[in-house]
């Protein structure tokens, strides 16, 4: 009966709208980020993009368009897309958008539950879990994925930490309420950091497990992960909320009918990499997109658009993505990269051997030659 299992309300007619649904530029710049990292690591022969929770497939579609436009650059490279999606309804929507619906379910050859070929000729595979994605050099993408994972909530009391639990309200028929655990729970024992200074904390163990898996893979096999979500760096407390028809909604009312979300704690994600990878960010969405050249891309699209309506739409969507009071400041970008990607080679031993390391796109200012 879950919210996403039944389709999840993404888009204008649903409960919330995401950046890729607002403007094509968003996905295009993310596509460029992956290509830039692929070039920086010496253009390996295979390029695998793994997206966690791909929504309606809009972001992948925009990235595939970039790959297609840069086909000559990727011509000797074996590109494939791997989608991690638990919702049968959403995987149908993705298949329709990306392949026109031409998919084969339960392919016998691997752990994917569905496979198809994109409209541009790139193989796409669907999996239930990131563990099922075959090992190897890969790029990972998680856009508005971690905020949808379940959290534990904790409150500091005079008697120590107590977990916030959900209970049936004895006063009101068919109504749920929050209560504090009478004593400590396994979660309070395991998930609160000893140095915690906040009085109210949200912890997402699932996010920790997934980040560990990605960090292990990147450490062993190379690649990178880019995570975009709203969140904070270990400073916020109570962020758990619901959305229904684009409006805030009581999280305990009519379970399964609203989108439930909690801000991502990037300091927790950083901690859970356990030093296996380097991390960059979190950096605000407007800074990341500016560093990726969003202004240049907007100018090109404005010059190419024939009519005023298209131009107005482009400017409106640019404002939505970049305006600090809209999405510009509440969304953050965070990356996991192999340590050697950021460490300058030791000049003392072989000064001539290595060229300086290329900066990581998006996380530093864009300098135009």
């Amino acid at each position: 009966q879950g919210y996403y299992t039944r389709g999840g309300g993404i888009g204008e007619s649903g409960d919330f709208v995401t950046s890729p649904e607002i403007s094509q530029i968003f996905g295009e710049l993310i596509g460029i980020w992956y290509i830039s990292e692929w070039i920086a690591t010496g253009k390996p022969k295979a390029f695998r993009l793994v997206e966690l929770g791909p929504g309606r497939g809009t972001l992948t579609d925009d990235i595939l368009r970039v790959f297609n436009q840069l086909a000559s650059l990727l011509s000797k490279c074996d590109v494939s897309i791997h989608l991690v999606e638990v919702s049968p309804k959403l995987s149908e929507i993705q298949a329709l958008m990306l392949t026109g619906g031409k998919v084969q379910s339960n392919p016998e050859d691997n752990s994917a539950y569905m496979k198809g070929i994109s409209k541009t000729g790139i193989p796409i595979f669907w999996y239930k879990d990131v563990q099922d994605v075959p090992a190897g050099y890969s790029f990972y993408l998680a856009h508005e994925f971690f905020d949808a994972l379940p959290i534990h909530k904790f409150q500091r009391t005079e008697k120590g930490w107590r977990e916030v639990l959900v209970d049936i309200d004895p006063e009101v028929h068919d109504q749920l309420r929050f209560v504090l655990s009478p004593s400590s729970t396994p979660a309070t024992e395991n998930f609160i950091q000893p140095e915690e200074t906040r009085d109210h904390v949200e912890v997402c163990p699932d996010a920790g497990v997934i980040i560990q898996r990605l960090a292990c893979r990147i450490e062993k096999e190379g690649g990178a992960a880019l995570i975009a979500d709203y969140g904070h760096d270990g400073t916020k407390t109570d962020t758990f909320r619901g959305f229904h028809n684009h409006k805030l909604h009581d999280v305990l009312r009519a379970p399964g009918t609203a989108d439930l979300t909690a801000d991502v704690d990037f300091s927790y994600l950083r901690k859970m990499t356990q030093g296996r990878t380097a991390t960059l960010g979190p950096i605000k969405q407007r800074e990341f997109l500016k560093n990726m050249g969003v202004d240049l891309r907007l100018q090109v699209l404005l010059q190419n658009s024939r009519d005023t309506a298209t131009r107005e739409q482009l400017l409106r969507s640019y404002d939505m993505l970049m305006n600090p009071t809209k999405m510009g400041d509440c969304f953050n970008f965070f990356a996991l990269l192999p340590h050697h990607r950021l460490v300058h080679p030791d000049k003392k031993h072989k000064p001539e051997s290595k060229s300086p390391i290329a900066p990581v796109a998006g996380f530093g200012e864009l300098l135009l030659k």
Side-chain angles (χ1 to χ4, degrees):
Q1 292 301 306
Y3 178 75
Y4 286 108
T5 321
R6 301 189 306 189
I10 307 170
E12 292 295 332
S13 59
D15 299 313
F16 62 95
V17 69
T18 62
S19 298
E21 308 282 336
I22 288 165
S23 170
Q24 67 179 75
I25 303 179
F26 185 82
E28 290 173 344
L29 296 179
I30 286 182
I32 295 293
W33 190 85
Y34 286 109
I35 285 183
S36 148
E37 276 308 298
W38 172 73
I39 293 171
T41 48
K43 301 185 183 170
K45 290 280 174 279
F47 186 122
R48 297 200 321 204
L49 180 64
V50 182
E51 188 179 0
L52 311 179
R56 298 202 297 198
T58 313
L59 186 50
T60 305
D61 198 42
D62 289 337
I63 291 172
L64 281 171
R65 191 171 60 252
V66 171
F67 289 0
N68 196 43
Q69 284 164 346
L70 299 175
S72 56
L73 185 65
L74 292 163
S75 63
K76 292 187 177 66
C77 182
D78 180 14
V79 181
S80 58
I81 305 287
H82 304 260
L83 305 178
V84 179
E85 179 57 76
V86 293
S87 163
K89 188 89 165 76
L90 284 173
S91 58
E92 275 171 35
I93 295 170
Q94 294 150 14
L96 200 61
M97 171 168 274
L98 300 169
T99 70
K102 291 190 271 292
V103 286
Q104 174 194 342
S105 19
N106 306 326
E108 61 300 324
D109 54 348
N110 62 12
S111 49
Y113 64 83
M114 187 163 83
K115 70 174 185 184
I117 301 279
S118 82
K119 294 166 188 169
T120 52
I122 288 174
I124 307 182
F125 302 86
W126 279 262
Y127 310 84
K128 289 280 184 234
D129 190 305
V130 74
Q131 301 262 75
D132 300 336
V133 180
Y137 174 88
S138 306
F139 288 114
Y140 301 91
L141 170 59
H143 175 262
E144 285 205 49
F145 168 75
F146 284 102
D147 70 81
L149 299 176
I151 54 162
H152 286 269
K153 282 174 87 65
F154 305 101
Q155 181 73 44
R156 196 195 291 271
T157 71
E158 284 153 12
K159 299 189 189 109
W161 285 100
R162 294 293 180 260
E163 189 170 0
V164 178
L165 303 171
V166 178
D167 182 28
I168 291 167
D169 193 330
E171 310 286 308
V172 192
H173 177 63
D174 261 359
Q175 184 64 45
L176 299 169
R177 62 170 184 170
F178 285 122
V179 292
L180 286 181
S181 61
S183 55
S184 74
T185 61
T188 51
E189 300 295 323
N190 291 300
F191 296 142
I192 303 283
Q193 304 293 335
E195 67 275 15
E196 187 54 71
T197 55
R198 290 169 287 177
D199 289 334
H200 188 105
V201 181
E202 295 167 336
V203 180
C204 177
D206 288 8
V209 170
I210 291 167
I211 279 291
Q212 278 181 1
R213 284 181 186 153
L214 298 185
C216 288
R217 282 176 168 230
I218 292 167
E219 179 187 39
K220 261 213 303 276
E221 297 147 6
L226 188 63
I227 295 162
D229 225 313
Y230 35 85
H232 56 90
D233 214 3
T235 50
K236 285 192 179 175
T237 55
D238 180 16
T239 70
F240 183 42
R241 58 207 184 280
F243 283 100
H244 188 63
N245 291 333
H246 303 271
K247 289 191 181 67
L248 277 170
H249 173 92
D250 175 357
V251 290
L252 296 181
R253 218 175 75 233
T257 62
D259 172 48
L260 301 183
T261 178
D263 281 22
V264 176
D265 182 345
F266 289 105
S267 69
Y268 173 70
L269 298 190
R270 193 183 295 112
K271 201 170 267 142
M272 296 315 277
T273 62
Q274 295 168 320
R276 290 191 174 97
T277 60
T279 58
L280 287 177
I283 177 175
K284 292 190 186 324
Q285 173 166 298
R286 68 187 160 91
E287 290 175 50
F288 179 85
L289 296 177
K290 210 170 214 28
N291 294 341
M292 286 303 300
V294 67
D295 297 330
L296 295 168
R297 184 64 185 136
L298 177 70
Q299 290 314 317
V300 170
L301 290 171
L302 288 171
Q303 281 159 16
N304 294 346
S305 59
R306 300 272 180 272
D307 59 296
T308 335
T310 311
R311 271 193 214 98
E312 280 172 3
Q313 169 57 29
L314 282 167
L315 291 166
R316 260 201 316 275
S317 57
Y318 174 88
D319 179 62
M320 188 74 177
L321 293 179
M322 300 293 285
N323 190 324
T325 62
K326 293 178 183 168
M327 287 176 152
D329 270 7
C330 51
F331 280 85
N332 293 278
F333 278 77
F334 182 74
L336 269 55
L337 299 147
H339 286 291
H340 62 75
R341 177 66 183 90
L342 299 180
V343 178
H344 279 279
D346 196 328
K347 295 276 190 291
K348 284 200 299 281
H349 300 300
K350 293 185 224 151
E352 69 295 332
S353 69
K354 285 267 183 89
S355 54
I357 286 186
V360 178
F363 291 90
E365 217 174 313
L366 177 67
L367 300 170
L368 297 172
K369 293 215 171 67

